[in-house]
Amino acid sequence: MNYDIVFIPGDGVGPEVSEAAKRCVEATGVTINWHIAEAGADAMEKYKTPLPDSTLDLINKYKIALKGPVTTPVGEGFRSVNVKIRKELNLYACVRPCKLYKGVKSHYSAVDLIVIRENTEDLYAGIEFPVHSTETKSLIDYIHKLNGEQIRSDSGISIKPISEYGSSKIIDFAFKYAIKNKRKKITAVHKANIMKFSDGLFLETYRKIAKDYKDKIEFTDRIVDNMSMQLVQKPELYDVLVLPNLYGDIISDLCAGLVGGLGVTPGANIGDDIAVFEATHGSAPKYAGKNKVNPSAMILSSMLMLRYIGEDKAANNLENAVSEVIQEGKNVTYDLKLNRDDPSAVGTSQMADAIIRQITEDR
Ligand code: NAD
């Protein structure tokens, strides 16, 4: 079967790592018609926007994209390209598997977590009121009239909306994802003891939905502060985590830290019928064009893409190849060496070459 997939190289180290991922996917033997789309610094020069409509149109048309990281221009009035893609395409689920591959430096021996984060609501909804503005003053007066609470007059305010709809979507997605991927347990993370009407609603929705899946998978929940401690002390007790946006952002970085950091953690942003696969890390501008950074996060993101389209054999082949190259520890980038200055570290494309050799050997 031939697949149509949008390919967004990105900027900074984006083109180097996404090209490495593209080559690895091709080595698995899956046939893909890549539709190249622009985003980031180059698009900015050409279209005066870092995210041209033509790119969104292509993703809408073909439904799947492999995307390299993109720099967010500072102070030029543009919101993040990544946030815009997620919003415009309603990619409500951010999926970040954090698995410890043998050979990666870590304080742990066995970690295999999947963090599923809600992507559209919560304190990240972007509903904010600055200190001393007329709107903020009206809001403070309104809240005082409504329930007697007096917010300090010199406050800035960020609103935390969590809906039944948004919670149902992400929680149902998480259960389905966990079952499809043969996982054993799902844990909802919240602070419902304090934020009763936002996190409380998330937890209530979770418990309702969990009833539909109770014969298929074990489920539990944890308060976010306790979860943070438990993940550091005994991450092996956890499996799939589902979280509202803010906790999801923080806990997914914590989990990336447990398994060796940004160079090895893949990701996907998924909606009802569109999915964009991308590494967790950003465009690492200081390494741009240096053939230096680890391509594994991006290559493993393309492995998630192969699973998403149902090419499990190719996905397994790709994941095993990455794992074997990392475990061997020879053809790996600086960040995977015991000493970061190790002169035997190879570049981005050489590590990809080693992974491709392994893919071909195992096929
Ligand atoms: P970053 O992830 O780009 O880099 C931070 C540091 O992490 C790097 O300097 C490097 O030391 C290390 N690192 C990152 N990726 C690595 C890899 N593959 N291998 C080895 N080391 C790696 O984070 P940042 O500097 O905060 O962000 C740079 C730009 O990227 C910003 O404009 C930010 O908005 C953007 N960004 C984009 C995405 C995305 O496109 N999805 C995600 C995060 C940040």
Side-chain angles (χ1 to χ4, degrees):
M1 178 166 173
N2 272 15
Y3 298 93
D4 285 294
I5 291 179
V6 179
F7 179 69
I8 306 169
D11 61 24
V13 297
E16 301 162 52
V17 291
S18 49
E19 186 57 33
K22 184 165 164 274
R23 288 199 293 127
C24 288
V25 170
E26 283 163 357
T28 65
V30 174
T31 318
I32 292 176
N33 307 319
W34 300 101
H35 300 272
I36 296 169
E38 291 161 295
D42 294 351
M44 187 74 200
E45 259 178 39
K46 217 159 135 190
Y47 305 97
K48 307 286 169 255
T49 166
L51 183 63
D53 287 344
S54 53
T55 294
L56 284 172
D57 291 346
L58 272 181
I59 308 178
N60 262 315
K61 181 170 177 191
Y62 293 115
K63 311 290 183 205
I64 300 173
L66 183 62
K67 173 187 164 295
V70 168
T71 308
T72 302
V74 180
E76 291 181 48
F78 292 101
R79 290 196 70 184
S80 151
V81 165
N82 310 301
V83 173
K84 194 162 177 210
I85 289 181
R86 284 166 216 162
K87 276 206 152 175
E88 294 280 324
L89 304 172
N90 193 23
L91 307 178
Y92 57 85
C94 175
V95 178
R96 290 201 180 152
C98 295
K99 181 167 168 177
L100 184 59
Y101 291 98
K102 283 205 179 78
V104 172
K105 278 173 287 171
S106 166
H107 298 290
Y108 303 89
S109 56
V111 183
D112 186 5
L113 295 157
I114 298 179
V115 181
I116 299 183
R117 160 189 174 191
E118 204 286 327
N119 244 346
T120 65
E121 303 198 317
D122 197 350
L123 280 163
Y124 287 27
I127 309 166
E128 299 205 279
F129 298 88
V131 66
H132 299 316
S133 72
T134 321
E135 292 80 8
T136 308
K137 189 175 175 317
S138 312
L139 186 59
I140 289 173
D141 291 346
Y142 181 66
I143 289 171
H144 183 61
K145 271 193 214 119
L146 209 58
N147 72 353
E149 288 293 342
Q150 187 60 61
I151 296 174
R152 289 191 182 108
S153 61
D154 58 348
S155 299
I157 299 178
S158 303
I159 305 281
K160 174 178 165 122
I162 289 196
S163 69
E164 247 176 332
Y165 175 84
S167 302
S168 307
K169 291 290 279 183
I170 192 69
I171 290 163
D172 198 56
F173 175 93
F175 273 101
K176 291 199 167 93
Y177 191 93
I179 291 164
K180 182 169 178 244
N181 288 279
K182 302 190 173 49
R183 310 295 293 211
K184 299 214 158 41
K185 179 164 102 174
I186 179 157
T187 305
V189 184
H190 59 86
K191 189 80 186 173
N193 53 332
I194 303 292
M195 282 162 280
K196 296 186 190 308
F197 303 129
S198 48
D199 287 24
L201 182 60
F202 184 82
L203 178 60
E204 194 185 313
T205 310
Y206 174 73
R207 288 186 173 147
K208 263 190 217 152
I209 291 179
K211 283 192 190 135
D212 296 339
Y213 294 97
K214 69 176 188 314
D215 300 330
K216 299 196 176 96
I217 189 163
E218 187 190 338
F219 68 94
T220 179
D221 68 272
R222 291 284 179 274
I223 292 174
V224 63
D225 36 356
N226 177 251
M227 183 81 255
S228 309
M229 188 188 69
Q230 296 220 15
L231 282 170
V232 171
Q233 284 192 323
K234 38 193 171 183
E236 69 283 357
L237 295 188
Y238 294 90
D239 188 353
V240 175
L241 311 179
V242 59
L243 315 90
N245 209 337
L246 174 66
Y247 310 142
D249 191 9
I250 299 167
I251 293 285
S252 57
D253 267 30
L254 186 155
C255 292
L258 301 179
V259 298
L262 291 173
V264 286
T265 35
N269 290 295
I270 304 179
D272 282 335
D273 63 347
I274 298 182
V276 175
F277 297 84
E278 60 180 335
T280 303
H281 64 76
S283 57
K286 72 176 177 191
Y287 293 123
K290 296 205 162 104
N291 188 36
K292 173 105 178 156
V293 299
N294 190 342
S296 302
M298 195 65 211
I299 294 172
L300 290 168
S301 304
S302 70
M303 177 275 291
L304 297 178
M305 183 187 81
L306 288 171
R307 283 207 197 295
Y308 181 85
I309 60 177
E311 293 285 351
D312 282 325
K313 193 164 165 249
N316 291 341
N317 182 357
L318 181 47
E319 186 176 17
N320 290 341
V322 172
S323 170
E324 281 166 47
V325 168
I326 292 178
Q327 189 172 357
E328 192 192 23
K330 198 170 141 223
N331 293 301
V332 296
T333 45
Y334 73 98
D335 56 311
L336 292 175
K337 294 284 184 184
L338 269 181
N339 174 359
R340 288 189 153 228
D341 301 321
D342 188 332
S344 72
V346 303
T348 309
S349 62
Q350 289 71 31
M351 182 163 177
D353 291 342
I355 293 168
I356 289 167
R357 281 196 296 278
Q358 193 63 50
I359 291 172
T360 318
E361 207 173 287
D362 296 346
R363 260 179 79 189

